[in-house]
Amino acid sequence: MRVARTWAVALTGLRGELVEVEADLTAQTPEFKLIGLADKALGEAVRRVTNACENSDMRLPDRRLTVNLSPAGLPKQGTGFDVAIAVAALATDGLMPPESLARTVHIGELGLDGRLRPVPGVLPAVHAAARRGFDRFVVPHANLAEAELVPGVEVLGAVSLAQVARWHGADVEVPDVEPVPGEARRPRATERLDLAEIVGQPAAVEALIVAAAGGHHLLMSGPPGAGKTMLARRLPGILPPLDDDAALEVASLRSLAGEPVSKLDRTPPFEAPHHSASIAALIGGGSRTARPGAIARASRGVLFVDEAAEAPGGVLDALRQPLEQGRIEIHRAGFRAEFPARFQLVLATNPCPCGEYGVRGGACACAPSVIRRYLSRLSGPLLDRMDIDLRLQRVASSHHDGTAPVSTAEAHERVAAARERAAARLHGTPWRVNADVPGAWLRQGPRAIAPDARRTLETALQRGAITLRGYDRILRVAWTIADLAGRDQPSTADVGQALFLKKGVTG
């Protein structure tokens, strides 16, 4: 009897669990048995591995071969275990030294011809194993670029199973075959959009800068053509670039979603799902494997929902829990996956179905009951979680009013300076931007705003114009306005401006 061991990775969401793949060869009736709570796709690995070994001139021994995936109680999905199963099975007959296999993690699917096929999620799998101390990896050739994004690891981008065996010291001939290409999908193009292109909306541009500086959620309402989409698409350009950890997280989520990943993009992601998207499209999921939805893919960046009032009932309310907790959990029979959901939400909506209600010079044909029903599609609890409620009108002139427009570069500098002030003030706490600071700390902490400055806000709370959650969100926005102005404490005017941005009221 000979036992060979190597390693693979099981992914549930972004979390990777190391799986020990151990193969045992016994002199009994020939059989190839795979055990260890495998799903259907993984259970079919027996036939893929058998044919791949046969077509690579490395036939499996004609004895009973048992492959165990440990821990056995951990659910395992997908075809990314094929290579680990194959090399462990071949090593039971002495083809490869067990020492090399025991310190290597293998990821990849096998074709029947023995070539390695790319799989999604290679980057988070390599990252998870590297954090556990592994530094040698075998991945499909098409996944080599993303695996090499993890620093300090040695990666073989293998074309064939024979190449993997030779790398481990086996005396086999490596065929000259073409690597299996990755899915033909274009990488995301980075749009170069400038705030200076927006004409006649200085208040809206300033509100966008406030949202970027504090990480605040933004609701924009106005008629078609008022510039809502233009503003939203320029928000990522004025946000600070992603640091190493955030960029790796964003790239890992794209890898899980099956997108090509070849570098760490420092630009915050921008996701704009159609308003008719389902709850599953927003939160992600799947019956066998959990794939990230728009919420997770927007983490560390912006989630923009245009025509929000047209969304199916209940879809947008699925955003409420991720907005509060910064993560999204997907529960399925047999597994639970968790994805990050630290995004800025931007909603845009028309004021009524025809878009002309309350518009300067507009002629709305909607009945009052229709308007009320339309606006009620955005629930009160969701609206209460929005920090800034921006009302837009159509631009009345095609020319600037004489003031120089704010460029993306200028706004980016202001946002960076404001975030530096906030980070310095919050040093020693777990928070770095104003949007993350809890309400109790804002109201009663060492940096609580002076009672005189909050008097207008207290009045609004007492008369029911805002909720306590809204009260806290206004305090966060007031701090951001003060950070942009370079003040150590929000003034009465800062609180008043934050209240106006939230509710359009002055107290």
Side-chain angles (χ1 to χ4, degrees):
M1 180 178 69
R2 185 182 182 94
V3 178
R5 294 179 175 88
T6 189
W7 297 89
V9 179
L11 287 172
T12 52
L14 273 189
R15 182 180 177 182
E17 296 285 351
L18 280 170
V19 174
E20 186 178 29
V21 181
E22 51 182 1
D24 176 29
L25 187 65
T26 56
Q28 299 179 32
T29 304
E31 183 185 17
F32 190 165
K33 187 72 172 178
L34 181 64
I35 59 176
L37 205 57
D39 73 344
K40 182 174 177 58
L42 178 51
E44 294 170 345
V46 171
R47 294 311 313 160
R48 290 192 299 270
V49 169
T50 301
N51 287 58
C53 291
E54 183 76 25
N55 292 322
S56 300
D57 293 329
M58 297 182 293
R59 188 173 183 180
L60 294 173
D62 289 329
R63 283 173 283 174
R64 176 165 293 181
L65 182 62
T66 304
V67 176
N68 180 43
L69 306 179
S70 178
L74 176 70
K76 305 165 191 75
Q77 301 94 17
T79 58
F81 295 82
D82 287 4
V83 179
I85 294 170
V87 295
L90 290 169
T92 58
D93 208 22
L95 183 66
M96 290 170 278
E99 297 80 11
S100 178
L101 268 64
R103 61 190 185 95
T104 306
V105 177
H106 298 82
I107 304 168
E109 177 186 335
L110 283 175
L112 298 183
D113 58 358
R115 291 188 298 170
L116 273 68
R117 297 180 174 275
V119 292
V122 165
L123 177 56
V126 172
H127 187 225
R131 285 183 298 183
R132 295 283 297 273
F134 285 86
D135 59 2
R136 278 169 49 96
F137 295 86
V138 172
V139 302
H141 184 272
N143 295 125
L144 176 62
E146 64 176 286
E148 290 180 330
L149 294 176
V150 179
V153 299
E154 177 189 2
V155 184
L156 170 65
V159 176
S160 65
L161 180 60
Q163 185 182 1
V164 177
R166 172 69 69 86
W167 192 60
H168 283 300
D171 184 15
V172 296
E173 182 179 350
V174 178
D176 184 15
V177 294
E178 289 292 323
V180 177
E183 187 177 354
R185 296 177 62 177
R186 294 182 179 179
R188 298 187 178 206
T190 302
E191 296 181 285
R192 298 188 177 276
L193 305 173
D194 202 302
L195 273 177
E197 299 169 354
I198 297 178
V199 177
Q201 297 282 16
V205 170
E206 186 63 25
L208 192 74
I209 293 173
V210 171
H216 303 297
H217 306 305
L218 175 64
L219 168 66
M220 295 184 288
S221 59
K228 302 186 292 294
T229 302
M230 289 183 65
L231 285 163
R233 290 194 173 277
R234 283 154 180 78
L235 178 55
I238 65 177
L239 292 173
L242 301 176
D243 59 22
D244 290 343
D245 291 339
L248 187 61
E249 179 183 287
V250 169
S252 296
L253 287 164
R254 290 179 178 175
S255 174
L256 275 176
E259 298 183 22
V261 176
S262 59
K263 64 178 182 178
L264 294 183
D265 191 352
R266 304 292 174 172
T267 303
F270 181 84
E271 288 289 330
H274 193 264
H275 64 264
S276 63
S278 65
I279 292 180
L282 280 181
I283 67 174
S287 59
R288 291 196 300 252
T289 59
R291 291 293 182 90
I295 290 175
R297 297 195 304 271
S299 190
R300 307 284 188 166
V302 178
L303 177 66
F304 174 53
V305 182
D306 201 1
E307 305 292 348
E310 301 287 349
V315 170
L316 291 182
D317 283 331
L319 299 172
R320 286 156 51 182
Q321 181 258 348
L323 285 174
E324 292 292 328
Q325 300 185 3
R327 67 181 188 276
I328 182 73
E329 293 184 356
I330 299 172
H331 295 265
R332 294 291 184 271
F335 72 91
R336 180 182 67 86
E338 181 177 306
F339 293 107
R342 294 179 288 271
F343 59 90
Q344 274 186 262
L345 177 62
V346 179
L347 301 179
T349 183
N350 292 330
C352 68
C354 74
E356 299 297 324
Y357 176 68
V359 177
R360 182 176 52 241
C364 178
C366 302
S369 60
V370 173
I371 297 173
R372 287 194 300 270
R373 187 163 55 249
Y374 185 81
L375 296 178
S376 67
R377 293 180 180 178
L378 298 179
S379 68
L382 177 63
L383 294 177
D384 203 31
R385 287 168 171 81
M386 307 303 294
D387 301 301
I388 298 173
D389 186 351
L390 186 60
R391 312 295 173 87
L392 299 176
Q393 288 285 344
R394 290 196 183 104
V395 177
S397 173
S398 62
H399 304 285
H400 288 289
D401 58 4
T403 59
V406 179
S407 68
T408 290
E410 294 168 339
H412 183 86
E413 291 181 3
R414 289 183 60 195
V415 168
R419 289 212 175 192
E420 287 177 5
R421 290 184 65 86
R425 184 178 67 254
L426 298 171
H427 181 71
T429 72
W431 320 297
R432 289 296 173 267
V433 294
N434 292 321
D436 295 337
V437 181
W441 198 88
L442 290 166
R443 287 179 263 112
Q444 303 166 6
R447 293 276 188 161
I449 300 175
D452 289 346
R454 287 187 287 167
R455 186 170 292 117
T456 301
L457 195 55
E458 293 286 350
T459 302
L461 181 63
Q462 289 172 5
R463 73 186 194 192
I466 58 175
T467 64
L468 186 58
R469 180 190 283 119
Y471 182 103
D472 292 340
R473 291 188 177 277
I474 293 167
L475 290 181
R476 297 183 184 109
V477 175
W479 269 112
T480 300
I481 294 171
D483 288 335
L484 284 167
R487 287 188 282 272
D488 292 332
Q489 273 275 338
S491 64
T492 302
D494 294 335
V495 176
Q497 183 181 351
L499 178 59
F500 181 78
L501 288 173
K502 171 66 175 174
K503 298 295 290 185
V505 299
T506 56

PDB file of all heavy atoms in Angstrom, residues 387-405:
ATOM      1  N   ASP A 387     -27.362  59.084   2.397  1.00  0.00           N
ATOM      2  CA  ASP A 387     -26.794  60.231   3.108  1.00  0.00           C
ATOM      3  C   ASP A 387     -27.130  61.560   2.439  1.00  0.00           C
ATOM      4  O   ASP A 387     -27.281  62.576   3.117  1.00  0.00           O
ATOM      5  CB  ASP A 387     -25.270  60.092   3.196  1.00  0.00           C
ATOM      6  CG  ASP A 387     -24.852  58.819   3.901  1.00  0.00           C
ATOM      7  OD1 ASP A 387     -25.231  58.649   5.066  1.00  0.00           O
ATOM      8  OD2 ASP A 387     -24.143  58.000   3.296  1.00  0.00           O
ATOM      9  N   ILE A 388     -27.191  61.540   1.115  1.00  0.00           N
ATOM     10  CA  ILE A 388     -27.404  62.776   0.350  1.00  0.00           C
ATOM     11  C   ILE A 388     -28.548  62.556  -0.629  1.00  0.00           C
ATOM     12  O   ILE A 388     -28.550  61.578  -1.379  1.00  0.00           O
ATOM     13  CB  ILE A 388     -26.122  63.184  -0.409  1.00  0.00           C
ATOM     14  CG1 ILE A 388     -24.987  63.470   0.585  1.00  0.00           C
ATOM     15  CG2 ILE A 388     -26.373  64.401  -1.290  1.00  0.00           C
ATOM     16  CD1 ILE A 388     -23.647  63.717  -0.079  1.00  0.00           C
ATOM     17  N   ASP A 389     -29.521  63.452  -0.591  1.00  0.00           N
ATOM     18  CA  ASP A 389     -30.661  63.421  -1.510  1.00  0.00           C
ATOM     19  C   ASP A 389     -30.541  64.641  -2.409  1.00  0.00           C
ATOM     20  O   ASP A 389     -30.822  65.767  -2.000  1.00  0.00           O
ATOM     21  CB  ASP A 389     -31.976  63.438  -0.724  1.00  0.00           C
ATOM     22  CG  ASP A 389     -33.185  63.258  -1.626  1.00  0.00           C
ATOM     23  OD1 ASP A 389     -33.026  63.297  -2.854  1.00  0.00           O
ATOM     24  OD2 ASP A 389     -34.296  63.102  -1.091  1.00  0.00           O
ATOM     25  N   LEU A 390     -30.106  64.430  -3.638  1.00  0.00           N
ATOM     26  CA  LEU A 390     -29.787  65.531  -4.550  1.00  0.00           C
ATOM     27  C   LEU A 390     -30.897  65.699  -5.572  1.00  0.00           C
ATOM     28  O   LEU A 390     -31.219  64.765  -6.308  1.00  0.00           O
ATOM     29  CB  LEU A 390     -28.455  65.226  -5.250  1.00  0.00           C
ATOM     30  CG  LEU A 390     -27.855  66.289  -6.151  1.00  0.00           C
ATOM     31  CD1 LEU A 390     -27.570  67.563  -5.375  1.00  0.00           C
ATOM     32  CD2 LEU A 390     -26.584  65.764  -6.804  1.00  0.00           C
ATOM     33  N   ARG A 391     -31.498  66.890  -5.607  1.00  0.00           N
ATOM     34  CA  ARG A 391     -32.555  67.192  -6.578  1.00  0.00           C
ATOM     35  C   ARG A 391     -31.962  67.991  -7.728  1.00  0.00           C
ATOM     36  O   ARG A 391     -31.353  69.046  -7.511  1.00  0.00           O
ATOM     37  CB  ARG A 391     -33.668  68.001  -5.907  1.00  0.00           C
ATOM     38  CG  ARG A 391     -34.148  67.438  -4.578  1.00  0.00           C
ATOM     39  CD  ARG A 391     -34.817  66.092  -4.736  1.00  0.00           C
ATOM     40  NE  ARG A 391     -35.124  65.483  -3.447  1.00  0.00           N
ATOM     41  CZ  ARG A 391     -36.247  65.704  -2.765  1.00  0.00           C
ATOM     42  NH1 ARG A 391     -37.156  66.542  -3.244  1.00  0.00           N
ATOM     43  NH2 ARG A 391     -36.450  65.102  -1.600  1.00  0.00           N
ATOM     44  N   LEU A 392     -32.118  67.483  -8.943  1.00  0.00           N
ATOM     45  CA  LEU A 392     -31.517  68.112 -10.125  1.00  0.00           C
ATOM     46  C   LEU A 392     -32.583  68.694 -11.031  1.00  0.00           C
ATOM     47  O   LEU A 392     -33.701  68.183 -11.127  1.00  0.00           O
ATOM     48  CB  LEU A 392     -30.689  67.088 -10.913  1.00  0.00           C
ATOM     49  CG  LEU A 392     -29.498  66.446 -10.185  1.00  0.00           C
ATOM     50  CD1 LEU A 392     -28.857  65.395 -11.073  1.00  0.00           C
ATOM     51  CD2 LEU A 392     -28.480  67.497  -9.807  1.00  0.00           C
ATOM     52  N   GLN A 393     -32.206  69.773 -11.710  1.00  0.00           N
ATOM     53  CA  GLN A 393     -33.013  70.357 -12.768  1.00  0.00           C
ATOM     54  C   GLN A 393     -32.216  70.295 -14.067  1.00  0.00           C
ATOM     55  O   GLN A 393     -30.985  70.139 -14.062  1.00  0.00           O
ATOM     56  CB  GLN A 393     -33.365  71.818 -12.452  1.00  0.00           C
ATOM     57  CG  GLN A 393     -34.385  71.990 -11.340  1.00  0.00           C
ATOM     58  CD  GLN A 393     -35.808  71.643 -11.778  1.00  0.00           C
ATOM     59  OE1 GLN A 393     -36.094  71.550 -12.966  1.00  0.00           O
ATOM     60  NE2 GLN A 393     -36.693  71.452 -10.798  1.00  0.00           N
ATOM     61  N   ARG A 394     -32.919  70.400 -15.177  1.00  0.00           N
ATOM     62  CA  ARG A 394     -32.214  70.445 -16.457  1.00  0.00           C
ATOM     63  C   ARG A 394     -31.375  71.718 -16.545  1.00  0.00           C
ATOM     64  O   ARG A 394     -31.736  72.762 -16.012  1.00  0.00           O
ATOM     65  CB  ARG A 394     -33.195  70.393 -17.620  1.00  0.00           C
ATOM     66  CG  ARG A 394     -33.882  69.055 -17.793  1.00  0.00           C
ATOM     67  CD  ARG A 394     -34.521  68.954 -19.162  1.00  0.00           C
ATOM     68  NE  ARG A 394     -35.245  67.685 -19.305  1.00  0.00           N
ATOM     69  CZ  ARG A 394     -36.563  67.562 -19.249  1.00  0.00           C
ATOM     70  NH1 ARG A 394     -37.316  68.629 -19.036  1.00  0.00           N
ATOM     71  NH2 ARG A 394     -37.131  66.384 -19.398  1.00  0.00           N
ATOM     72  N   VAL A 395     -30.258  71.603 -17.233  1.00  0.00           N
ATOM     73  CA  VAL A 395     -29.382  72.755 -17.414  1.00  0.00           C
ATOM     74  C   VAL A 395     -30.055  73.749 -18.354  1.00  0.00           C
ATOM     75  O   VAL A 395     -30.582  73.381 -19.414  1.00  0.00           O
ATOM     76  CB  VAL A 395     -28.024  72.298 -17.992  1.00  0.00           C
ATOM     77  CG1 VAL A 395     -27.128  73.492 -18.257  1.00  0.00           C
ATOM     78  CG2 VAL A 395     -27.360  71.327 -17.033  1.00  0.00           C
ATOM     79  N   ALA A 396     -30.033  75.018 -17.939  1.00  0.00           N
ATOM     80  CA  ALA A 396     -30.730  76.049 -18.711  1.00  0.00           C
ATOM     81  C   ALA A 396     -29.835  76.724 -19.738  1.00  0.00           C
ATOM     82  O   ALA A 396     -30.318  77.481 -20.575  1.00  0.00           O
ATOM     83  CB  ALA A 396     -31.303  77.112 -17.759  1.00  0.00           C
ATOM     84  N   SER A 397     -28.523  76.506 -19.669  1.00  0.00           N
ATOM     85  CA  SER A 397     -27.614  77.153 -20.614  1.00  0.00           C
ATOM     86  C   SER A 397     -26.532  76.172 -21.015  1.00  0.00           C
ATOM     87  O   SER A 397     -26.089  75.336 -20.195  1.00  0.00           O
ATOM     88  CB  SER A 397     -26.973  78.402 -19.986  1.00  0.00           C
ATOM     89  OG  SER A 397     -25.972  78.928 -20.843  1.00  0.00           O
ATOM     90  N   SER A 398     -26.082  76.242 -22.246  1.00  0.00           N
ATOM     91  CA  SER A 398     -25.033  75.353 -22.737  1.00  0.00           C
ATOM     92  C   SER A 398     -23.647  75.891 -22.430  1.00  0.00           C
ATOM     93  O   SER A 398     -22.646  75.259 -22.783  1.00  0.00           O
ATOM     94  CB  SER A 398     -25.171  75.153 -24.257  1.00  0.00           C
ATOM     95  OG  SER A 398     -25.016  76.394 -24.932  1.00  0.00           O
ATOM     96  N   HIS A 399     -23.549  77.036 -21.785  1.00  0.00           N
ATOM     97  CA  HIS A 399     -22.260  77.649 -21.475  1.00  0.00           C
ATOM     98  C   HIS A 399     -22.082  77.729 -19.973  1.00  0.00           C
ATOM     99  O   HIS A 399     -23.031  77.820 -19.202  1.00  0.00           O
ATOM    100  CB  HIS A 399     -22.169  79.060 -22.082  1.00  0.00           C
ATOM    101  CG  HIS A 399     -22.401  79.085 -23.561  1.00  0.00           C
ATOM    102  ND1 HIS A 399     -21.460  78.658 -24.466  1.00  0.00           N
ATOM    103  CD2 HIS A 399     -23.484  79.485 -24.290  1.00  0.00           C
ATOM    104  CE1 HIS A 399     -21.935  78.801 -25.700  1.00  0.00           C
ATOM    105  NE2 HIS A 399     -23.169  79.298 -25.613  1.00  0.00           N
ATOM    106  N   HIS A 400     -20.814  77.775 -19.550  1.00  0.00           N
ATOM    107  CA  HIS A 400     -20.524  77.987 -18.143  1.00  0.00           C
ATOM    108  C   HIS A 400     -20.870  79.416 -17.760  1.00  0.00           C
ATOM    109  O   HIS A 400     -20.851  80.334 -18.592  1.00  0.00           O
ATOM    110  CB  HIS A 400     -19.038  77.716 -17.862  1.00  0.00           C
ATOM    111  CG  HIS A 400     -18.681  76.268 -17.923  1.00  0.00           C
ATOM    112  ND1 HIS A 400     -19.074  75.364 -16.976  1.00  0.00           N
ATOM    113  CD2 HIS A 400     -17.958  75.565 -18.845  1.00  0.00           C
ATOM    114  CE1 HIS A 400     -18.607  74.167 -17.285  1.00  0.00           C
ATOM    115  NE2 HIS A 400     -17.926  74.261 -18.423  1.00  0.00           N
ATOM    116  N   ASP A 401     -21.155  79.622 -16.491  1.00  0.00           N
ATOM    117  CA  ASP A 401     -21.582  80.943 -16.024  1.00  0.00           C
ATOM    118  C   ASP A 401     -20.413  81.872 -15.722  1.00  0.00           C
ATOM    119  O   ASP A 401     -20.568  82.894 -15.057  1.00  0.00           O
ATOM    120  CB  ASP A 401     -22.456  80.811 -14.770  1.00  0.00           C
ATOM    121  CG  ASP A 401     -21.722  80.087 -13.650  1.00  0.00           C
ATOM    122  OD1 ASP A 401     -20.520  79.754 -13.821  1.00  0.00           O
ATOM    123  OD2 ASP A 401     -22.347  79.851 -12.594  1.00  0.00           O
ATOM    124  N   GLY A 402     -19.228  81.533 -16.200  1.00  0.00           N
ATOM    125  CA  GLY A 402     -18.058  82.364 -15.960  1.00  0.00           C
ATOM    126  C   GLY A 402     -17.108  81.773 -14.940  1.00  0.00           C
ATOM    127  O   GLY A 402     -15.920  82.110 -14.929  1.00  0.00           O
ATOM    128  N   THR A 403     -17.615  80.911 -14.052  1.00  0.00           N
ATOM    129  CA  THR A 403     -16.746  80.253 -13.082  1.00  0.00           C
ATOM    130  C   THR A 403     -16.076  79.049 -13.739  1.00  0.00           C
ATOM    131  O   THR A 403     -16.670  78.373 -14.578  1.00  0.00           O
ATOM    132  CB  THR A 403     -17.547  79.782 -11.859  1.00  0.00           C
ATOM    133  OG1 THR A 403     -18.555  78.870 -12.293  1.00  0.00           O
ATOM    134  CG2 THR A 403     -18.204  80.977 -11.170  1.00  0.00           C
ATOM    135  N   ALA A 404     -14.836  78.827 -13.363  1.00  0.00           N
ATOM    136  CA  ALA A 404     -14.094  77.717 -13.950  1.00  0.00           C
ATOM    137  C   ALA A 404     -14.694  76.392 -13.488  1.00  0.00           C
ATOM    138  O   ALA A 404     -14.950  76.211 -12.289  1.00  0.00           O
ATOM    139  CB  ALA A 404     -12.626  77.793 -13.539  1.00  0.00           C
ATOM    140  N   PRO A 405     -14.949  75.460 -14.400  1.00  0.00           N
ATOM    141  CA  PRO A 405     -15.509  74.170 -13.986  1.00  0.00           C
ATOM    142  C   PRO A 405     -14.498  73.384 -13.163  1.00  0.00           C
ATOM    143  O   PRO A 405     -13.283  73.531 -13.322  1.00  0.00           O
ATOM    144  CB  PRO A 405     -15.811  73.481 -15.320  1.00  0.00           C
ATOM    145  CG  PRO A 405     -14.861  74.103 -16.290  1.00  0.00           C
ATOM    146  CD  PRO A 405     -14.701  75.529 -15.851  1.00  0.00           C
TER     147      PRO A 405
END
